[in-house]
Amino acid sequence: MKDKEIQNMQEKYNEIQVVVKKLKEQNKEIQMIQKKDSTIQENDSVIQVEDSIIQRKDSIIQEKDRMIQQKDNKIQGLIKKIQEKDKTIEEKDKTIQEKDKEIRDLELDNDKFKKEASEYQYHLGAAKIC
């Protein structure tokens, strides 16, 4: 019976050794998982910092975009004013051209009337002599 007990104990010991071996393997796996988890946590911290930086930069970009939009609106307003002034200038230029034409026409009429008056004076002078 002692042999049988010894054999039973030996089997139990072997079973325990198998369980211990499995536990050691599991412990190694747990340690690897813990290392990986630690690496993941470190990477997550880095990602959070970089995300914070990106959010700040995005906020700056949005503010600059608002400023650009405001300046663009201002430019559009100025362009509209310039276009209105250009239209006014064109109208005034057209009026000036019309007035210049009137002046030329009046100068031509004036020259014509001077010539005509000169002819009348010549004829009047000749009529007084006779």
Side-chain angles (χ1 to χ4, degrees), residues 55-70:
Q55 288 177 0
R56 277 186 264 132
K57 287 182 178 181
D58 187 49
S59 177
I60 291 169
I61 288 169
Q62 288 176 357
E63 181 60 30
K64 287 183 178 183
D65 190 43
R66 278 192 290 275
M67 290 171 45
I68 288 169
Q69 188 63 42
Q70 289 173 346

Side-chain angles (χ1 to χ4, degrees), residues 11-36:
E11 287 176 4
K12 294 222 180 220
Y13 178 77
N14 288 341
E15 287 177 8
I16 290 173
Q17 288 300 321
V18 167
V19 168
V20 166
K21 185 178 178 182
K22 284 183 180 180
L23 285 173
K24 285 181 179 181
E25 288 174 1
Q26 287 178 350
N27 189 31
K28 284 181 182 181
E29 287 179 10
I30 288 172
Q31 286 176 350
M32 284 177 36
I33 289 171
Q34 287 174 338
K35 285 181 183 180
K36 287 180 181 181

Side-chain angles (χ1 to χ4, degrees), residues 41-130:
Q41 287 177 0
E42 289 172 10
N43 288 342
D44 188 51
S45 293
V46 169
I47 288 170
Q48 287 177 359
V49 168
E50 289 176 354
D51 184 55
S52 175
I53 292 169
I54 289 170
Q55 288 177 0
R56 277 186 264 132
K57 287 182 178 181
D58 187 49
S59 177
I60 291 169
I61 288 169
Q62 288 176 357
E63 181 60 30
K64 287 183 178 183
D65 190 43
R66 278 192 290 275
M67 290 171 45
I68 288 169
Q69 188 63 42
Q70 289 173 346
K71 289 180 180 183
D72 187 51
N73 290 341
K74 197 174 195 179
I75 288 169
Q76 293 301 323
L78 292 172
I79 287 172
K80 187 176 179 182
K81 284 181 182 180
I82 288 170
Q83 288 171 340
E84 290 170 358
K85 288 185 179 187
D86 280 349
K87 187 176 180 182
T88 303
I89 289 170
E90 286 175 9
E91 290 170 357
K92 287 182 178 182
D93 193 40
K94 187 176 180 182
T95 303
I96 288 171
Q97 289 175 359
E98 290 171 357
K99 295 291 182 185
D100 282 346
K101 186 177 185 302
E102 283 182 37
I103 289 170
R104 283 193 302 275
D105 290 345
L106 289 172
E107 286 175 342
L108 287 173
D109 287 346
N110 194 21
D111 287 344
K112 181 180 160 187
F113 292 137
K114 281 182 183 179
K115 205 183 238 185
E116 195 176 307
S118 174
E119 286 180 22
Y120 286 129
Q121 285 177 349
Y122 175 73
H123 289 300
L124 268 173
K128 284 185 183 182
I129 298 176
C130 298

